[in-house]
Amino acid sequence: MSEDTRSEVYAELAAVGPYGVRPGHALITMVEPHPGHEYAYNRWYEDDHYYAGAMAMPWMYAGRRWVATRDLQLLRYPEKSAIAQPVTAGCYISTYWITAGRYADHMRWTVGINKRLNRDARVYQDRTHVFTAFQDHEATVYRDGAAGPRDFHALDHPYAGLVVQVVDAASPEQRAELLEWLRTRHLPKRLAGSPAALVTIFRPTPLPLDRMSYVKQVEGVDTRLTLLWFLEADPRQCWEPTFTGLDTAVEEAGLGRVELVAPFVPTVPGTDRYVDRLR
């Protein structure tokens, strides 16, 4: 006898609630496989977890994995980072878009499925979560205005690189000022003529109390912003001047401290490309 999957409920759920295409929320998860487990971790994540633990879930409609080879890790700054200790930790990052207004619905599912995956021994334990957080979308800044792909295309468009920038303001009030400065002054100037086509800005949200024990609670919920720069060129080819001095610019504006600037390139799904270049 087949298992009852309560299929009749799906039609009811599909008839209610938001179902737009905007990335109202994101999951951003930077992970370090333990030494000696790089190949096994990569195969587990790509062959199983990327789908069963992410893309198969309701309202998570786009995803992409990125990797930092050792030479990319060595470009990161600042050396003393509140995000990664050492700053080179976290050689893989996965980014996912969640439909606006569906965060609570998605979280109910993701907590449930991860408990099930754990029970079924389908969670790889030899890894460390360096920076994992669900985040709410605050703004997107485009280099070319209305031309080119939108933010909801960003994880499907074949961008050549990603730069993750994390900024901490001194207070919740200052974060609002920081966001406005980034959106209207700093990012338009930096993007002009650069290989970065767009920057999405997110703010982290707390993880639920019934989260998996190996994922630490999110820090900086009231003061932090996470920026994702999507690049049309390999970050190694355009690191200077676009991505050097981002910390200085924020500090000179008196609006906070940059805690991480980290470049990545996209993985090639179904392969182990770059795994032998992580150390």
Side-chain angles (χ1 to χ4, degrees), residues 160-179:
L162 174 77
V163 172
V164 179
Q165 180 185 3
V166 181
V167 189
D168 282 345
S171 67
E173 294 76 21
Q174 193 186 59
R175 182 172 71 176
E177 186 180 354
L178 171 64
L179 174 63

Side-chain angles (χ1 to χ4, degrees), residues 18 72-73 94 111 115-116 180 200 203 209 239 247 254 262 265:
L72 288 168
Q73 295 167 32
S94 298
V111 169
K115 287 181 177 178
R116 184 180 181 187
E180 183 65 12
T200 57
R203 58 177 173 86
L209 296 177
W239 194 244
D247 53 346
V265 293

Side-chain angles (χ1 to χ4, degrees), residues 165 167-170 173-187 189-190 225 245-258:
Q165 180 185 3
V167 189
D168 282 345
E173 294 76 21
Q174 193 186 59
R175 182 172 71 176
E177 186 180 354
L178 171 64
L179 174 63
E180 183 65 12
W181 176 77
L182 288 167
R183 187 178 65 82
T184 63
R185 297 176 60 190
H186 176 68
L187 291 176
K189 181 179 179 181
R190 283 273 179 165
L225 292 174
L246 291 178
D247 53 346
T248 304
V250 172
E251 289 173 8
E252 288 179 348
L255 295 173
R257 171 180 161 81
V258 170

Side-chain angles (χ1 to χ4, degrees), residues 113-124:
I113 199 66
N114 276 288
K115 287 181 177 178
R116 184 180 181 187
L117 290 168
N118 267 278
R119 287 195 304 267
D120 293 344
R122 285 175 63 181
V123 174
Y124 197 84

Side-chain angles (χ1 to χ4, degrees), residues 84-107:
Q85 301 89 31
V87 71
T88 52
C91 55
Y92 282 103
I93 196 166
S94 298
T95 50
Y96 302 97
W97 292 165
I98 300 167
T99 302
R102 289 294 190 171
Y103 176 75
D105 298 333
H106 176 79
M107 288 306 298

